[in-house]
Amino acid sequence: MSKPYEVAVQEASKPYEVSVQAVKPLSVLATDGTVVNPDEMPKLTDEQLKELMRRMVFTRTWDQRAVNLTRQGRLGFFAPVSGQEATMVGSEFALNKDDFICPGYRDMPQIVWHGLPMYQAFLYSRGHQHGGQIPADVHVLMPQIIIGAQILHAMGVAMAFKKKGEKRVAITYTGDGGSSEGDFYEGLNFAGAFKLPAIFVVQNNGYAITTPFSKQTAAESVAHKAVAAGIKGVQVDGMDVLAVVKAVQDAAERGRNGEGATLIEAITYRFLPHSMSGDDPSKYRTKEETAEWEQKDPLHRFREFLTKKGLWSEAEEAAVVEDAKNTVADQIKKAEETEKMTVPGLIDSMFETTPHHLEEQKADYLA
């Protein structure tokens, strides 16, 4: 029997009609940190719970510093993440290190926590070639700037895992706007047809840049779109880190066991602009709406939960904030000290042995 947060086909009034049940997001914690769904509590140790909080606080501080760095002209394109930490940090935390992440441009936290050095994330933002030089033992791709393209990448990686018989999953992310792209439907359909170990996470923050979700689709939810692809659809409270961990743990287990792909719609909210490239959210969001979502802040909710358990304190949080500030300062300095890009260097970095025609182009440039 399906659970309230899972999409399931119901008996229809006519044989040729399809009817699906309404869903409500999976939550483990109320906004005040009280446990409201103990049966769905993920199995985590006290140390793991504290590490989740550490990573969310660190990510919030890193995000604030990155916004300032962008305004100073020290970063290039940057998409803020404040408000979405539970979805990002929680989903990566639920993976194994050999699982593969195919990110979009907002998904820097996931790939850094998965092992990408932060200075390379900064180099990527600055448009430097070495920002995409992923270390061999870090199982991520470069963030995809083309909306939705990363969904096809994850589909392909998942197919490779299946063909090799590896117990690994590929996870990818997009926003609610990305769920309107053709790549989204192609990726889900392929994953359903071949029963791939893939996890598709849609971070539904209510807006595709400025377009509200209600104008993007007539579907009741993104999660319902799993039905047409023949895969599992789940909706989760994306401001509740424990609910996110649980949903992704379950999806990963299904994938590893050969039970196919999962579409997870995380209901969340970005507090800051879509990007630092001129977006002004005050043009399309009200102060009342933002204030309402701020009451659901994932850091506040989880902080309350841990404090009640005696696992978190103001002093511990202050130490994490200071550590994040120092780390960001060190890593941006390392990015800025990286050798500047050159056209010949870019050409040489493309291949182990540079093809003759590119050697000619390089020679023309140097002439």
Side-chain angles (χ1 to χ4, degrees):
M1 185 175 181
S2 64
K3 297 179 179 180
Y5 54 87
E6 299 173 347
V7 177
V9 177
Q10 295 176 309
E11 183 178 344
S13 58
K14 296 179 181 179
Y16 52 84
E17 291 180 345
V18 174
S19 177
V20 292
Q21 66 180 19
V23 295
K24 61 180 181 179
L26 165 65
S27 292
V28 174
L29 300 177
T31 55
D32 65 356
T34 303
V35 177
V36 293
N37 199 350
D39 291 342
E40 299 297 340
M41 176 71 73
K43 295 180 180 179
L44 299 172
T45 65
D46 286 350
E47 286 306 310
Q48 287 175 315
L49 291 171
K50 293 183 67 172
E51 179 62 15
L52 271 175
M53 186 62 188
R54 187 188 76 82
R55 293 187 183 190
M56 287 204 294
V57 172
F58 188 106
T59 301
R60 176 69 61 88
T61 306
W62 160 21
D63 191 57
Q64 293 167 343
R65 304 299 284 182
V67 167
N68 290 335
L69 289 170
T70 304
R71 289 170 174 159
Q72 295 166 14
R74 299 169 71 186
L75 287 179
F77 178 82
F78 181 72
V81 305
S82 290
Q84 297 186 210
E85 295 92 346
T87 297
M88 294 173 160
V89 171
S91 60
E92 191 283 329
F93 198 82
L95 302 173
N96 294 334
K97 283 302 179 184
D98 65 348
D99 292 329
F100 215 97
I101 299 178
C102 301
Y105 53 76
R106 198 183 302 277
D107 301 311
M108 289 297 185
Q110 297 95 303
I111 60 177
V112 168
W113 290 119
H114 212 59
L116 182 74
M118 184 184 287
Y119 85 93
Q120 286 193 256
F122 290 150
L123 285 176
Y124 172 86
S125 176
R126 293 162 65 93
H128 197 292
Q129 70 201 62
H130 293 313
Q133 193 172 15
I134 310 297
D137 61 343
V138 178
H139 303 293
V140 305
L141 291 182
M142 288 179 62
Q144 179 54 250
I145 201 71
I146 302 172
I147 297 174
Q150 64 273 21
I151 295 168
L152 300 182
H153 300 162
M155 176 199 78
V157 172
M159 174 62 92
F161 291 160
K162 180 167 184 175
K163 283 185 170 292
K164 292 179 179 180
E166 297 180 359
K167 298 291 186 180
R168 302 165 69 186
V169 298
I171 189 170
T172 187
Y173 303 83
T174 192
D176 43 300
S179 71
S180 299
E181 295 290 327
D183 288 351
F184 175 80
Y185 295 96
E186 293 170 16
L188 264 62
N189 186 69
F190 194 91
F194 290 93
K195 216 167 188 179
L196 301 183
I199 304 172
F200 304 100
V201 179
V202 175
Q203 300 177 88
N204 185 349
N205 58 32
Y207 295 89
I209 305 183
T210 62
T211 304
F213 181 70
S214 61
K215 293 186 177 180
Q216 295 177 56
T217 180
E220 184 174 335
S221 73
V222 172
H224 281 83
K225 298 185 180 187
V227 174
I231 67 176
K232 192 176 187 66
V234 174
Q235 193 178 78
V236 62
D237 182 346
M239 310 294 269
D240 179 351
V241 69
L242 295 181
V244 173
V245 169
K246 174 62 174 174
V248 177
Q249 282 179 338
D250 289 350
E253 183 178 6
R254 292 185 70 254
R256 295 189 221 287
N257 292 339
E259 298 174 31
T262 303
L263 170 61
I264 299 175
E265 178 187 16
I267 308 299
T268 185
Y269 197 81
R270 54 174 170 80
F271 296 143
L272 297 176
H274 172 267
S275 77
M276 299 306 296
S277 301
D279 176 44
D280 180 2
S282 69
K283 301 289 187 182
Y284 55 90
R285 302 193 311 200
T286 65
K287 292 180 179 179
E288 292 75 17
E289 176 187 287
T290 302
E292 181 181 347
W293 277 97
E294 286 175 347
Q295 299 302 311
K296 304 175 184 179
D297 188 320
L299 271 65
H300 170 74
R301 184 184 305 198
F302 198 48
R303 183 187 297 117
E304 289 296 303
F305 169 74
L306 292 183
T307 301
K308 291 172 183 176
K309 289 175 67 68
L311 295 176
W312 198 250
S313 67
E314 291 183 4
E316 287 176 293
E317 184 153 337
V320 175
V321 170
E322 190 64 22
D323 177 47
K325 289 179 179 179
N326 292 335
T327 300
V328 170
D330 290 343
Q331 293 294 293
I332 191 65
K333 181 180 179 181
K334 186 172 183 178
E336 291 173 334
E337 291 175 347
T338 300
E339 184 179 0
K340 304 299 182 184
M341 284 180 63
T342 65
V343 172
L346 178 60
I347 292 174
D348 287 340
S349 71
M350 297 293 289
F351 299 90
E352 185 175 357
T353 302
T354 307
H356 179 68
H357 71 286
L358 289 181
E359 288 287 2
E360 290 180 347
Q361 291 182 30
K362 186 170 69 173
D364 289 342
Y365 180 82
L366 293 171

